[in-house]
Amino acid sequence: MFDKSELAFKEAYRYIPGGVDSPVRAFNSVGGVPPFIEYGKGAYLYDIDGNRYIDYVQSWGPLIFGHCNSEIEEAVIETAKKGLSFGAPTLLETELAKEIVNLFDSIDKVRFVNSGTEAVMSALRLARGFTGKNDIVKFAGCYHGHSDSLLVQAGSGAVTFGAPSSPGVPEDLTKHTLLATYNDLESVKKCFAQSDDIACIIIEPIAGNMGLVPATEQFLQGLRELCDEHNALLIFDEVMSGFRATLTGAQGITEVTPDLVTLGKVIGGGMPVGAFGGRAEIMAHLSPEGPVYQAGTLSGNPVAMAAGLASLKKLKANPTIYVDLGAKAKRLMEGFKAAASAEDIPLVTAVRGSMFGFFFSDREVRNFDDAQASDTETFAKFHQGMLKRGIYLACSAYETGFINTEITDAMIEETIIAAYEVMREIRG
Ligand SMILES: *Cc1c(COP(=O)(O)O)cnc(C)c1O
């Protein structure tokens, strides 16, 4: 039933490293071949073998209105007809910027880029340029894109300075990245004790790249206090959680205000868009207003801006969708939990707005160590079983799932029924 995808994958493999343009898509951690997608419509994905799936990945987050939403589609087509790119200012950029500034208390000014990676990389440079300091603190298990200084893993022994997690990244770069433990304030204090050169702390306030692991309010408040005490900036990476957890991401949940925010995914409505913004005094350091250099040939691309704008306007016009999406996410996770417990399989779950996550584990997951202690083999079996039943879940135990507005209660029920079957199969 994956015959065509198998052939397509082999063919892709001959011309593209690993057959994919982003590693997770290769299905390495769950096995099998990735279905090659023919098209999407509403809540459904259709592959080239004619299989249909309920899509809980949604291009890894962006598609909060599902596939081929008519208003977003129309905005893209109408804008594309006027020209694809100019490398000159358009009204659309200001319009989208205005919407974002009005929405986020923490953002006075915002700049658009082409990906989440680029947004974070630029925000870090700005934080360093603004503070005149070099080191950054990041948390194990948080993902902020693939720029050099963020591809770090824990170094040896008691030191918190990171080591490169990929060949090709010089130690000279990662030595400026200190690694701390998520939801553990003491580990962050240790970083400040080791370095008086910390420019910023960057965090996913709702971590979505080690599975779904929200930060506690107390922890975020502690980070804010430490940053203020040491003249460092607090950066919320809301590339995933922005417009996902709530309309304003984690900032709709926490009292803590960051100095800089990075956005992506939903902000482009399916087109490649990233953004970073923050307090006016900080953003004023960005060129051409200030000395910190940052640029992009296709940044603020009109077609991408139009998609983002259409999507954001729909979200603002329907703020109650988060109640509905959240209720569905909760129902789904309760269903998975019941299905697992019917077979005595331990499962822990989390929900934040339209984001959901689950771990095959009997211990609460508060950080990356906890996440890594989960049973990824069982996850792989679960993923395969669900895929066969037309349920498209993220192909790694360390990813987050998403509900979109096209997913109905009946689809949630169908997914839960599939989960019961697969859990039974796993149990044998
Ligand atoms: C996806 C993601 C990124 C990277 O965004 P890309 O568009 O893939 O470069 C950065 N930070 C977080 C929190 C993300 O989820």
Side-chain angles (χ1 to χ4, degrees):
M1 101 177 182
F2 298 109
D3 295 354
K4 286 186 180 164
S5 282
E6 265 170 37
L7 282 176
F9 195 41
K10 274 194 192 129
E11 180 79 351
Y13 215 93
R14 289 177 59 193
Y15 302 104
I16 302 171
V20 290
D21 284 314
S22 196
V24 73
R25 296 180 199 168
F27 269 44
N28 282 345
S29 59
V30 289
V33 293
F36 275 55
I37 305 306
E38 176 95 42
Y39 66 101
K41 190 77 199 159
Y44 291 112
L45 271 183
Y46 298 82
D47 72 14
I48 58 174
D49 285 288
N51 300 307
R52 187 185 78 172
Y53 309 94
I54 302 174
D55 182 9
Y56 289 103
V57 180
Q58 294 154 27
S59 189
W60 303 96
L63 306 179
I64 198 163
F65 295 107
H67 299 277
C68 301
N69 173 269
S70 58
E71 285 155 81
I72 298 171
E73 204 174 75
E74 202 171 304
V76 167
I77 291 168
E78 284 311 307
T79 310
K81 282 181 181 166
K82 295 181 188 166
L84 294 179
S85 180
F86 311 110
T90 61
L91 296 175
L92 287 168
E93 292 164 76
T94 314
E95 209 182 326
L96 184 54
K98 219 191 257 178
E99 294 284 355
I100 291 165
V101 166
N102 286 339
L103 209 53
F104 286 85
D105 290 340
S106 57
I107 301 180
D108 298 328
K109 282 190 178 180
V110 61
R111 178 163 284 173
F112 296 110
V113 292
N114 306 289
S115 70
T117 296
E118 211 186 333
V120 171
M121 185 185 79
S122 308
L124 289 180
R125 184 178 306 140
L126 180 57
R128 283 167 160 159
F130 178 76
T131 59
K133 296 192 270 188
N134 293 306
D135 293 344
I136 60 177
V137 175
K138 93 169 272 282
F139 296 93
C142 282
Y143 178 69
H144 305 290
H146 68 95
S147 66
D148 283 339
S149 49
L150 292 164
L151 290 184
V152 296
Q153 61 196 0
S156 57
V159 291
T160 51
F161 290 95
S165 64
S166 163
V169 177
E171 269 172 35
D172 284 342
L173 289 177
T174 56
K175 77 179 184 197
H176 290 293
T177 307
L178 288 82
L179 265 188
T181 306
Y182 204 75
N183 278 323
D184 176 1
L185 205 56
E186 286 309 311
S187 74
V188 186
K189 286 182 184 162
K190 220 168 104 185
C191 294
F192 281 101
Q194 252 178 31
S195 168
D196 56 9
D197 198 27
I198 293 174
C200 62
I201 298 176
I202 181 155
I203 185 170
E204 288 179 78
I206 299 171
N209 288 286
M210 52 172 148
L212 181 59
V213 184
T216 66
E217 180 67 11
Q218 203 183 3
F219 178 61
L220 293 177
Q221 267 168 17
L223 296 183
R224 181 68 273 174
E225 282 161 23
L226 279 173
C227 282
D228 292 345
E229 201 177 308
H230 295 275
N231 289 317
L233 301 185
L234 180 60
I235 305 177
F236 276 5
D237 181 355
E238 298 228 56
V239 168
M240 185 188 289
S241 55
F243 316 102
R244 258 296 166 192
T246 72
L247 184 56
T248 50
Q251 293 167 75
I253 298 171
T254 175
E255 302 273 311
V256 175
T257 306
D259 301 296
L260 288 172
V261 180
T262 55
L263 298 166
K265 299 196 168 113
V266 171
I267 203 182
M271 296 293 288
V273 181
F276 62 105
R279 285 210 314 274
E281 101 187 92
I282 304 171
M283 294 304 284
H285 273 64
L286 208 56
S287 72
E289 232 178 295
V292 178
Y293 190 70
Q294 190 277 330
T297 301
L298 293 172
S299 292
N301 173 271
V303 184
M305 293 294 103
L309 200 53
S311 165
L312 194 49
K313 278 187 174 160
K314 270 178 77 68
L315 287 172
K316 278 180 79 174
N318 306 286
T320 56
I321 68 161
Y322 292 96
V323 178
D324 182 50
L325 295 174
K328 285 187 175 125
K330 214 168 150 217
R331 175 76 198 96
L332 185 67
M333 287 302 92
E334 279 165 2
F336 277 19
K337 235 182 133 96
S341 84
E343 303 297 330
D344 280 330
I345 296 171
L347 192 82
V348 294
T349 63
V351 169
R352 282 293 180 281
S354 66
M355 305 162 72
F356 67 83
F358 57 96
F359 292 98
F360 288 93
S361 178
D362 52 13
R363 86 186 205 204
E364 193 199 350
V365 178
R366 299 182 63 245
N367 57 44
F368 193 43
D369 283 343
D370 295 337
Q372 283 189 308
S374 75
D375 180 353
T376 52
E377 272 173 42
T378 300
F379 175 86
K381 286 182 199 155
F382 183 70
H383 182 272
Q384 285 166 3
M386 294 298 274
L387 191 72
K388 270 185 221 146
R389 287 165 177 82
I391 311 295
Y392 193 82
L393 295 167
C395 53
S396 156
Y398 302 123
E399 299 288 350
T400 292
F402 304 102
I403 306 289
N404 69 43
T405 56
E406 299 303 297
I407 290 178
T408 62
D409 288 329
M411 291 177 199
I412 299 282
E413 287 315 308
E414 185 186 332
T415 308
I416 293 169
I417 289 167
Y420 270 91
E421 285 175 22
V422 177
M423 296 288 185
R424 205 171 306 135
E425 213 172 71
I426 289 171
R427 186 71 183 184

